[in-house]
Amino acid sequence: MSMLVPVVLLLLALAGAPLFAIIAASAMWGFWQADVDLQTMAINIYQIAEMPVLVAIPLFTFAGYLLGESKAPQRLVRITDAFLGWMPGGLAVVALTACALFTAFTGASGVTIVALGALLVPALQKAGYPEKFNLGLVTTSGSLGLLFAPSLPLILYGVVAQQMALETPVSIDSLFVAGILPGLLMLVALSLYSAWQSRGMVRETHPFNKKEAWAALKDSAWELPLPVVILGGIYSGYFAVSEAAALTAFYVLVVSVVIRREISLRRLPVVMRDSMKLVGAILLILGVSLASTNYMIDAGIPEQIFNFIQQHISSPITFLLLLTLFLLVLGMMLDIFSAIVIMIPIILPIAVQYGIHPIHLGILFLANMQLGYFTPPVGMNLFIASFRFNKPVMQLYLATIPFFFILLACVLVITFWPWLSLGML
Amino acid sequence: MRNLLKWLYRVEDGLLVALLLAMIVLAGVDILARLALGSGMAWIAPVLRVLVLWIGLLGALVATRSREHIAIDVLSRFAPVPVRTAMHFVAAAFAAFICLALAYYSKNFVQTAYEFGDKAFSDVPAWLLQLIIPITFGLMGLRFTVQAVQALLPSSQKVTA
């Protein structure tokens, strides 16, 4: 019986049952076995109302949706083009940078491909890049920027890790700092590949144009303070994450509805509601995972797994290699938010036993998940791109292959070179 | 019945939007207060935290309407139609069962808080703030039940839940 329940739950998950129900069921089964009153489920869900940092999640998500619905993506592409378009492989670099920025601010939910892809693919096409390259680039960029503040996965990892009460504290601020170099590594590696791709192409870059740069700056005048104030505020420690989120939501709301009037008052409630559906889906999973995490810790499950693994693996390097393999598969099956709340409570205590720093683990975990977004056959962004650009999924599998291997190399560097994540702390 | 549903949807959407607006305004006021007075207003922080819970659960309830819960959608993409139907039914029925169970146990939880007269912050009774848990799970349970039944109906007879 005790083996049967996990198997049945796994089958239900594969049949498409909502993940929150699966997690809730496993926690309830565990508590039931241990004779704990199931009211504890509600107590755990109510914990959502006891974590101040969670305020950031609805606020950032709303701001991201609003930005995606406004004309901010067009302006973002224009301004990056004006300033980076002169470089070799310029437009591709523009695409990568714009996507990374946009993803960091909108929380990696596939919004980037929908909002920016429609602008970038035709532009790249016109500049003379082959279609295969364009599709691969935009699909890959949909999850680029995950490691930059204030991305939601970084925040969520911090929230979950803080619940574990480890000896080394995991502050969200240090996660934001830790993500910078690994994120830049990915961005630079893809930019170099793009520059190399554009060799021998009819010169598609344009020289730097002062007039256009100034015009683009003026065009984005209302958005420009946002990254400066938010990132500056967070990195200098002047704002807490939740305050930065409040400021962003308020500012974006005023600019896009009152000042620019790109979102009508009639449209606003729809955007609000749609963004909160995603928030609800994430927080519900988080709430029930708080219960399952509590159960697992009480039952000592991470120790049991650790003892089992340790019988076979003693070196941290082998452990990290196997972890990478495991996370790649996991990233294909689970979206990043569920992966964090389900797997981190199990993986983190084990990794700490192998001497891996919790912040390094967070960065390498998210870097792996970023790959999972477009790992065939089921990476979510492959389907979003297939839908958005009206291309068969098969074509996107092929298009993303070179990008996959470049980022895989980056993930390995991030995994085995902890300094990259920890050096700036 | 149709009208009742429409009315319920309006209430859910309206409440969700109003709470989010309240959150944006209160969080903004809190920062201003901190900048101007040196410290935030004491009652805002706990209200914001409770708003997160309410917005999260209401958002989840609205997401159930349009079947936007996070799920592993691997097999049904490749499964033949009859298998897919069976999978939809089992998945929805299972989710309905779990939600109704959660609603039942959280009702007990709220009842306990009511009987003991627990206070959340200031003088606000805790049960009032917790009430959202059994309500949203109960409605989600009903919604998943309807979806389970619908999975079995021939596609021509499907009505919106």
Side-chain angles (χ1 to χ4, degrees):
Chain A
M1 190 67 184
S2 63
M3 275 311 288
L4 198 62
V5 171
V7 173
V8 169
L9 287 179
L10 190 66
L11 287 176
L12 281 164
L14 290 176
L19 281 177
F20 82 84
I22 305 282
I23 304 167
S26 73
M28 284 158 88
W29 173 250
F31 283 129
W32 176 278
Q33 294 288 85
D35 274 330
V36 177
D37 189 323
L38 288 184
Q39 281 189 37
T40 190
M41 293 301 293
I43 298 175
N44 278 292
I45 292 167
Y46 193 70
Q47 257 184 284
I48 289 184
E50 277 150 19
M51 292 188 244
V53 67
L54 289 184
V55 177
I57 292 183
L59 292 174
F60 270 135
T61 310
F62 167 63
Y65 267 68
L66 213 52
L67 281 175
E69 290 271 327
S70 73
K71 296 208 166 57
Q74 279 93 322
R75 287 189 289 271
L76 180 59
V77 172
R78 182 176 179 193
I79 196 166
T80 17
D81 187 32
F83 283 89
L84 301 176
W86 54 270
M87 296 183 356
L91 196 61
V93 176
V94 168
L96 290 166
T97 313
C99 285
L101 266 175
F102 198 72
T103 304
F105 269 86
T106 56
S109 47
V111 182
T112 308
I113 294 179
V114 177
L116 287 177
L119 304 170
L120 292 172
V121 168
L124 287 163
Q125 199 96 32
K126 221 167 75 188
Y129 287 94
E131 184 182 47
K132 191 177 158 203
F133 174 82
N134 304 338
L135 289 174
L137 182 87
V138 173
T139 310
T140 311
S141 309
S143 56
L144 198 68
L146 213 64
L147 295 176
F148 295 130
S151 94
L152 288 186
L154 274 175
I155 298 177
L156 197 62
Y157 176 83
V159 169
V160 173
Q162 279 165 8
Q163 287 298 301
M164 319 273 313
L166 301 168
E167 279 171 38
T168 335
V170 182
S171 82
I172 291 172
D173 293 344
S174 26
L175 281 167
F176 283 169
V177 175
I180 296 177
L181 290 180
L184 282 178
L185 172 73
M186 292 183 158
L187 194 57
V188 169
L190 289 178
S191 299
L192 288 177
Y193 172 68
S194 307
W196 182 72
Q197 268 289 318
S198 71
R199 76 201 183 286
M201 268 171 46
V202 192
R203 181 114 180 112
E204 51 88 26
T205 53
H206 50 77
F208 181 74
N209 178 342
K210 250 192 199 160
K211 236 183 183 166
E212 165 60 15
W214 179 241
L217 267 182
K218 271 204 302 204
D219 191 29
S220 314
W222 284 107
E223 280 84 8
L224 280 179
L226 200 57
V228 178
V229 171
I230 299 307
L231 296 182
I234 291 178
Y235 282 126
S236 67
Y238 191 73
F239 287 129
V241 180
S242 52
E243 288 177 318
L247 206 66
T248 308
F250 191 77
Y251 184 81
V252 171
L253 178 68
V254 171
V255 168
S256 52
V257 178
V258 182
I259 298 178
R260 288 200 192 268
R261 302 192 178 206
E262 286 171 350
I263 310 276
S264 65
L265 276 178
R266 184 176 294 207
R267 180 92 190 114
L268 181 65
V270 180
V271 179
M272 292 176 99
R273 187 191 68 186
D274 287 348
S275 61
M276 288 311 108
K277 284 195 226 168
L278 177 68
V279 169
I282 297 174
L283 287 182
L284 187 55
I285 289 195
L286 177 66
V288 292
S289 324
L290 291 173
S292 71
T293 304
N294 269 346
Y295 166 71
M296 279 194 302
I297 291 175
D298 283 350
I301 288 176
E303 280 111 89
Q304 288 172 22
I305 300 179
F306 173 67
N307 289 336
F308 174 77
I309 298 178
Q310 216 193 11
Q311 284 169 4
H312 306 277
I313 306 163
S314 53
S315 105
I317 294 193
T318 328
F319 171 74
L320 279 176
L321 262 181
L322 286 175
L323 183 65
T324 307
L325 268 179
F326 172 73
L327 291 180
L328 278 180
V329 177
L330 186 77
M332 281 161 33
M333 314 280 295
L334 283 184
D335 74 285
I336 195 159
F337 301 111
S338 336
I340 293 170
V341 293
I342 298 172
M343 296 314 299
I344 289 302
I346 302 173
I347 295 176
L348 186 53
I350 299 174
V352 169
Q353 300 258 29
Y354 276 104
I356 296 159
H357 195 288
I359 290 187
H360 180 214
L361 181 81
I363 301 298
L364 77 89
F365 184 91
L366 296 183
N368 265 293
M369 289 295 124
Q370 182 183 332
L371 271 184
Y373 268 93
F374 59 95
T375 311
V378 289
M380 175 180 83
N381 279 1
L382 291 166
F383 292 104
I384 295 179
S386 154
F387 178 75
R388 189 70 186 82
F389 305 122
N390 206 4
K391 301 279 180 216
V393 179
M394 209 55 202
Q395 194 180 344
L396 290 163
Y397 289 173
L398 296 175
T400 47
I401 288 174
F403 297 93
F404 177 81
F405 281 104
I406 293 170
L407 286 187
L408 181 62
C410 294
V411 166
L412 290 175
V413 172
I414 293 168
T415 305
F416 290 101
W417 191 22
W419 182 88
L420 204 55
S421 312
L422 304 173
M424 280 172 50
L425 290 184
Chain B
M1 186 64 193
R2 261 306 145 73
N3 281 333
L4 193 72
L5 263 185
K6 223 181 195 170
W7 177 82
L8 183 65
Y9 290 175
R10 281 239 172 107
V11 172
E12 289 171 4
D13 288 356
L15 196 57
L16 186 56
V17 168
L19 291 178
L20 178 59
L21 269 180
M23 175 185 263
I24 297 170
V25 171
L26 282 179
V29 170
D30 198 32
I31 299 183
L32 287 181
R34 187 173 75 105
L35 293 179
L37 313 169
S39 69
M41 279 180 243
W43 59 273
I44 292 185
V47 171
L48 282 176
R49 294 203 302 264
V50 171
L51 280 175
V52 175
L53 178 77
W54 280 61
I55 287 176
L57 288 173
L58 282 169
L61 176 61
V62 174
T64 311
R65 241 154 59 189
S66 43
R67 302 168 198 239
E68 286 179 68
H69 276 290
I70 297 173
I72 303 179
D73 198 10
V74 188
L75 294 184
S76 69
R77 268 184 223 283
F78 306 103
V81 177
V83 179
R84 203 182 305 169
T85 307
M87 281 162 64
H88 283 326
F89 171 75
V90 171
F94 169 73
F97 171 72
I98 296 295
C99 285
L100 291 175
L102 284 171
Y104 172 77
Y105 288 109
S106 40
K107 186 214 76 181
N108 291 354
F109 166 65
V110 175
Q111 212 158 27
T112 316
Y114 179 77
E115 280 157 14
F116 281 82
D118 292 353
K119 296 274 181 276
F121 48 87
S122 317
D123 255 341
V124 185
W127 67 268
L128 204 63
L129 305 178
Q130 298 161 351
L131 205 56
I132 192 75
I133 306 177
I135 292 177
T136 44
F137 277 110
L139 283 172
M140 272 193 269
L142 293 178
R143 227 154 251 180
F144 278 119
T145 311
V146 173
Q147 288 176 12
V149 174
Q150 276 182 345
L152 297 179
L153 295 176
S155 46
S156 58
Q157 291 179 27
K158 275 182 185 158
V159 281
T160 38

